[in-house]
Amino acid sequence: MKRFNYFLILLGLSVIGFTSCSESESEELIVDVNERIVGKWVVDSQTLFDVSVPGDGSWLTFEGCATGDCTGIDYMASDETSGTFNYTFGTDNTTLIIEDNDSQQGGSYSGEWTIEQFTNNKLVISIDTGLFGVTTITLTK
């Protein structure tokens, strides 16, 4: 009978341990998209014509909308240049509209991107480029 009691106690402690770990690991989603996007997002991969290419160290930093204008900096690792951009969310927050201020510096992300996935640490966006098909970019913080 003592073994059975010890078993129940160990089982109870294990359940408490597992549930407390999973609660601390799960992060509550930041509701305001303007707050959630702020920070440095590294390009993990880019998909074009169903071919996925790993990121090369390029990134976008969304600086926020403190002055009313939402601004950011993009860095293209392949030519080591950076540029600036403005951005807004569509009215239903399912699109991210980026306007590059200088397409010769940094990446060229101008356009209306469809938001496929958007968590606190992962952003997946896609855009139909017409002739070149749909491009999908996966970014992580």
Side-chain angles (χ1 to χ4, degrees):
M1 190 62 152
K2 279 187 172 184
R3 281 190 167 170
F4 183 72
N5 287 339
Y6 286 125
F7 174 74
L8 288 177
I9 291 171
L10 285 174
L11 180 63
L13 291 173
S14 297
V15 168
I16 291 170
F18 285 126
T19 57
S20 63
C21 287
S22 63
E23 286 176 16
S24 65
E25 290 174 4
S26 67
E27 189 176 333
E28 192 171 321
L29 184 67
I30 299 169
V31 177
D32 183 353
V33 292
N34 288 309
E35 289 179 29
R36 191 181 330 152
I37 201 160
V38 172
K40 181 178 180 180
W41 295 83
V42 178
V43 176
D44 275 354
S45 65
Q46 186 167 353
T47 304
L48 180 62
F49 296 122
D50 292 329
V51 176
S52 183
V53 178
D56 63 354
S58 297
W59 49 261
L60 292 99
T61 297
F62 294 88
E63 296 177 332
C65 307
T67 62
D69 292 325
C70 302
T71 60
I73 300 170
D74 59 13
Y75 172 76
M76 179 170 274
S78 61
D79 64 3
E80 297 181 345
T81 63
S82 62
T84 60
F85 61 88
N86 293 4
Y87 70 92
T88 57
F89 286 95
T91 55
D92 56 0
N93 294 333
T94 61
T95 56
L96 175 62
I97 300 125
I98 298 176
E99 296 176 30
D100 242 329
N101 294 326
D102 183 0
S103 60
Q104 302 301 314
Q105 299 292 315
S108 181
Y109 298 99
S110 283
E112 186 169 332
W113 295 83
T114 300
I115 299 172
E116 306 292 340
Q117 182 180 357
F118 188 17
T119 66
N120 294 345
N121 299 312
K122 185 175 184 178
L123 176 62
V124 180
I125 54 177
S126 65
I127 193 168
D128 188 345
T129 60
L131 180 63
F132 297 108
V134 176
T135 297
T136 303
I137 300 176
T138 301
L139 305 115
T140 56
K141 272 190 182 177

